[in-house]
Amino acid sequence: SQQGEEDPQALSIQEGENATMNCSYKTSINNLQWYRQNSGRGLVHLILIRSNEREKHSGRLRVTLDTSKKSSSLLITASRAADTASYFCATSHNTDKLIFGTGTRLQVFP
Amino acid sequence: SQTIHQWPATLVQPVGSPLSLECTVEGTSNPNLYWYRQAAGRGLQLLFYSVGIGQISSEVPQNLSASRPQDRQFILSSKKLLLSDSGFYLCAWQGAHEKLFFGSGTQLSVL
């Protein structure tokens, strides 16, 4: 079964705007990761945040984690048309498994 | 550097035919390996994972099986494909800090 649920399912914005995607999960985690998938391709790792961290930055990406609410958000600032893709959160528990959410499809218009 | 190879890229198979998808990893030893399936426009469903040769964990009851005959080889199989086996199959290996590195995927259409 899927652990995470992303919100919104789809998001359309103009270049230069910020994009925010949210992820909720059900059980305690070791870490939470965000991945990107271009259409018809494999997923690419973007950023990992551990359960004892609250915020992390990588370039134009900012990830927050609220373990009390079992939620995370991914913010992409100053979006570009090349950011058009699907974005997935994935959670790791006390096992070797990484469970993915349902994804947010982001469309950035030039 | 590590690389992951997955083939074929696309596959069209009739119902009832067998399936064999192969995934190999280079540049690392004893990796954790994973098979995921993705329905069109949906999230990823974990099918199998392996922490070593001959060690396979199945996540969901299904028409598929997996094997790991060598350290860096992971094979997804079926004896008789069903229509519901159609989807995008992704192989991945786990690197440092629990990050997954994915292959390019196989689009399977069962007709």
Side-chain angles (χ1 to χ4, degrees):
Chain A
S1 63
Q2 288 174 319
Q3 162 77 320
E5 295 286 336
E6 278 93 336
D7 167 55
Q9 290 187 346
L11 180 61
S12 295
I13 59 175
Q14 295 292 132
E15 263 191 333
E17 294 180 338
N18 295 342
T20 299
M21 289 159 268
N22 303 296
C23 168
S24 60
Y25 57 92
K26 297 175 183 176
T27 63
S28 62
I29 60 172
N30 291 340
N31 65 60
L32 185 143
Q33 304 178 40
W34 284 90
Y35 287 78
R36 167 195 168 123
Q37 183 184 33
N38 284 34
S39 181
R41 307 293 297 274
L43 280 73
V44 175
H45 180 269
L46 295 176
I47 195 166
L48 179 151
I49 187 166
R50 299 205 175 278
S51 60
N52 60 354
E53 298 176 307
R54 292 298 169 258
E55 186 171 315
K56 205 160 185 181
H57 297 255
S58 177
R60 292 185 296 113
L61 305 180
R62 172 177 169 253
V63 169
T64 62
L65 179 64
D66 187 336
T67 53
S68 66
K69 296 181 179 179
K70 293 186 171 57
S71 67
S72 173
S73 67
L74 171 67
L75 169 66
I76 303 174
T77 60
S79 63
R80 307 165 181 169
D83 293 329
T84 294
S86 292
Y87 293 82
F88 296 87
C89 68
T91 50
S92 170
H93 311 268
N94 295 322
T95 68
D96 297 301
K97 298 186 292 185
L98 197 62
I99 306 299
F100 284 80
T102 52
T104 292
R105 295 186 304 278
L106 174 65
Q107 176 79 52
V108 182
F109 292 98
Chain B
S1 63
Q2 301 89 351
T3 57
I4 180 168
H5 302 280
Q6 185 181 343
W7 68 93
T10 60
L11 191 59
V12 180
Q13 292 285 107
V15 170
S17 64
L19 173 73
S20 181
L21 301 180
E22 188 163 343
C23 172
T24 59
V25 181
E26 296 177 358
T28 186
S29 60
N30 197 32
N32 288 353
L33 297 172
Y34 302 82
W35 278 110
Y36 286 88
R37 178 170 60 199
Q38 185 178 31
R42 304 290 299 277
L44 277 70
Q45 179 185 35
L46 179 61
L47 300 177
F48 301 95
Y49 71 99
S50 172
V51 300
I53 296 175
Q55 301 179 62
I56 308 295
S57 295
S58 175
E59 287 300 296
V60 292
Q62 58 198 309
N63 186 41
L64 303 168
S65 62
S67 62
R68 186 168 177 175
Q70 300 179 40
D71 181 44
R72 288 170 285 179
Q73 183 184 30
F74 204 21
I75 298 172
L76 184 69
S77 304
S78 174
K79 293 182 179 179
K80 290 185 177 182
L81 283 169
L82 306 172
L83 288 174
S84 58
D85 292 324
S86 294
F88 190 52
Y89 289 82
L90 288 158
C91 178
W93 70 277
Q94 190 173 50
H97 307 296
E98 302 176 54
K99 299 175 187 177
L100 289 187
F101 297 89
F102 283 84
S104 53
T106 295
Q107 183 64 53
L108 172 66
S109 299
V110 183
L111 306 177

